[in-house]
């Protein structure tokens, strides 16, 4: 089954404790992206990657890091989480590069709470 | 500034009561407009892509249309299982960035 898998789905942590949210896709997609979804603000892009070893900032990259060492994986790293990073996070992927109009496939989401 | 505005924010319908959701956009070069459905606790699920004014797409009770300034998602004779948040997004021609609207939360009561 084609899917994007995120882990963990739910996480409560404390300020400053480094954490990683993993994302893996099994569709051999070149493009992967991370979004955060907040009430009243909609989906906002954090980082994206057009292919292995190619990453770039989205609209709200501050406080986040990513890496793309393998085509299928695109982890999101919060080096020193703060309460304003409490949010619902989605990983997404699609075939092709950023100029492609192919549909995005989303993961189930990771709800993060930073105390 | 490129932006997407969806209205209404929330819509309550009785089963069988047809209606439309609106997505207004301003973008410097439209590559495509997307509609997604999002159920509570789930990731958005792709519904349609529209590329040019006048284009229409249909799927079961849903029909999406596109003009140069807005898109409509028409829901004909909705059922309770159509209850979800519907997201609209536009893709910029230059760079391919997706810009999402804030969504319309649809509730269909039996």
């Amino acid at each position: 089954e084609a899917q994007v898998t995120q882990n963990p789905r739910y996480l409560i942590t404390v300020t400053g404790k480094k954490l990683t949210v993993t994302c893996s896709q099994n569709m051999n997609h070149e493009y992967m992206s991370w979004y955060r979804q907040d009430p009243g603000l909609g989906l906002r892009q954090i980082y994206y990657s057009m292919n292995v070893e190619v990453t770039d900032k989205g609209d709200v990259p501050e406080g986040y890091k990513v890496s793309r060492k393998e085509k299928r994986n695109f982890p999101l790293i919060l080096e020193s989480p703060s309460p304003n990073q409490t949010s619902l996070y989605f990983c997404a992927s699609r075939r092709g590069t950023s100029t492609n109009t192919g549909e995005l496939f989303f993961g189930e989401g990771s709800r993060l709470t930073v105390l | 500034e490129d932006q997407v505005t969806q209205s209404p924010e929330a819509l309550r319908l009785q089963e069988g009561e047809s209606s439309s959701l609106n997505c207004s956009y301003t973008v410097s070069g439209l590559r495509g407009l997307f509609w997604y459905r999002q159920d509570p606790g789930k990731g958005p699920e792709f519904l349609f892509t529209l590329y040019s004014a006048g284009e229409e797409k249909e799927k079961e009770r849903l029909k999406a249309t596109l003009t140069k300034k807005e898109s409509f998602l028409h829901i004909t004779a909705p059922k309770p299982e159509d209850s979800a948040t519907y997201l609209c997004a536009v893709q910029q021609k230059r760079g391919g960035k997706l810009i999402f609207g804030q969504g319309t939360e649809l509730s269909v009561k039996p």
Side-chain angles (χ1 to χ4, degrees):
Chain A
E1 180 188 354
Q3 59 186 10
V4 178
T5 304
Q6 299 179 224
N7 280 296
R9 295 288 315 282
Y10 303 91
L11 180 63
I12 300 175
T13 189
V14 296
T15 299
K17 186 175 181 181
K18 180 179 178 180
L19 67 92
T20 299
V21 186
T22 64
C23 173
S24 181
Q25 51 92 5
N26 63 0
M27 295 168 279
N28 202 36
H29 285 169
E30 289 80 11
Y31 181 92
M32 297 186 75
S33 182
W34 276 102
Y35 293 85
R36 61 178 288 174
Q37 188 174 40
D38 302 289
L41 296 176
L43 279 163
R44 294 179 294 166
Q45 191 178 49
I46 303 171
Y47 268 94
Y48 64 96
S49 169
M50 291 199 285
N51 215 324
V52 176
E53 301 292 358
V54 181
T55 63
D56 210 345
K57 296 178 181 179
D59 295 318
V60 287
E62 295 79 18
Y64 304 95
K65 285 176 58 177
V66 293
S67 68
R68 187 91 182 273
K69 293 183 170 55
E70 304 166 285
K71 197 172 187 178
R72 65 182 293 126
N73 296 324
F74 190 45
L76 179 69
I77 303 156
L78 285 73
E79 292 271 2
S80 183
S82 61
N84 64 12
Q85 293 179 297
T86 292
S87 186
L88 179 59
Y89 291 86
F90 288 102
C91 180
S93 72
R94 69 171 183 234
R95 60 179 174 82
T97 67
S98 65
T99 57
N100 190 290
T101 53
E103 63 186 89
L104 271 176
F105 291 81
F106 284 84
E108 295 274 270
S110 296
R111 184 166 293 282
L112 171 65
T113 301
V114 183
L115 302 175
Chain B
E1 181 185 350
D2 295 344
Q3 62 180 15
V4 178
T5 304
Q6 292 187 245
S7 61
E9 289 186 13
L11 181 62
R12 291 189 175 190
L13 300 174
Q14 288 297 126
E15 184 171 2
E17 180 186 1
S18 301
S19 188
S20 297
L21 282 55
N22 177 263
C23 171
S24 297
Y25 64 91
T26 54
V27 64
S28 51
L30 178 71
R31 181 170 294 277
L33 184 142
F34 298 78
W35 282 97
Y36 285 85
R37 170 189 170 128
Q38 185 175 19
D39 292 300
K42 303 268 188 178
E45 181 182 338
F46 172 78
L47 291 173
F48 304 109
T49 308
L50 301 166
Y51 295 100
S52 57
E55 189 175 358
E56 299 182 352
K57 294 272 180 75
E58 284 190 67
K59 182 179 181 179
E60 296 181 358
R61 295 175 292 282
L62 300 177
K63 179 180 176 181
T65 62
L66 181 65
T67 72
K68 289 187 177 180
K69 293 183 178 180
E70 58 192 349
S71 176
F72 291 94
L73 185 65
H74 307 278
I75 303 176
T76 302
K79 297 182 177 182
E81 53 261 43
D82 294 322
S83 297
T85 295
Y86 290 85
L87 302 174
C88 171
V90 296
Q91 185 175 26
Q92 297 174 326
K93 191 168 283 187
R94 184 179 176 186
K97 179 181 173 180
L98 265 185
I99 303 168
F100 282 87
Q102 295 182 16
T104 293
E105 185 178 354
L106 174 66
S107 175
V108 182
K109 301 297 183 185

